[in-house]
Amino acid sequence: MAEKKSVVLGGVKGGLLAFVICTVAVLVTALFAKWFNLSQTTLNIVGQAVKVAAVFAAVLIAVRDGAYVPKALLVAVVFCIASTVCSLIAGGSFSFGHVMLDLVIAVATAVIAALIKSKRA
C-alpha cells in the first residue's frame, strides 16, 4: 500500500513539476517571440521541444528510487492533463488529436528518461 502511495505521489509531483517548468519556458518563449517576431511554425516546434525538455527534466528530478516507469508514466499523464486544463482555461479550443499528440510525446519522453535513470541507478 505504501509503495502504491509513493508511486502516485511521485508521479503527481513530477507531473506538476513538468507543468511548472513548461509554463515558465513557454512564457519565456513568448517573450522572445515578441522581441524577435518568430513565425508560427517556429513557435510550434519550440513549443514541442519545451514540452519534451520539461517532461524529461521532471522525470529525472522526481523519479528517485524504484518503480521508474510507472512513476514516469504518471508524470506524463498528469502533465498532459494539467496542460490541457490550463489551455482550456486560457481560452484555447479542445482538439482530441492535439491532446493525443501531446500525450504520446510526453509518454515517450518519460519512458526514455525513466529507462536512462534506471540504468544509472
Side-chain angles (χ1 to χ4, degrees):
M1 182 71 169
E3 184 177 325
K4 287 182 184 180
K5 184 177 180 182
S6 170
V7 169
V8 171
L9 191 60
V12 170
K13 283 182 181 179
L16 294 176
L17 176 64
F19 175 71
V20 169
I21 292 170
C22 185
T23 302
V24 170
V26 165
L27 291 173
V28 170
T29 302
L31 188 62
F32 282 119
K34 187 168 179 84
W35 285 344
F36 298 111
N37 204 13
L38 299 176
S39 69
Q40 187 64 34
T41 304
T42 304
L43 289 176
N44 289 338
I45 293 169
V46 170
Q48 292 300 329
V50 163
K51 290 176 187 177
V52 167
V55 170
F56 194 84
V59 169
L60 291 180
I61 292 169
V63 178
R64 292 193 184 117
D65 56 341
Y68 295 104
V69 175
K71 283 182 187 175
L73 290 174
L74 196 55
V75 167
V77 170
V78 169
F79 168 74
C80 284
I81 291 170
S83 294
T84 301
V85 168
C86 183
S87 175
L88 292 174
I89 289 172
S93 60
F94 181 78
S95 168
F96 183 75
H98 186 74
V99 172
M100 285 296 107
L101 176 64
D102 285 349
L103 183 61
V104 168
I105 290 171
V107 166
T109 303
V111 168
I112 290 169
L115 293 175
I116 290 171
K117 182 90 176 197
S118 69
K119 295 293 181 192
R120 290 186 177 184

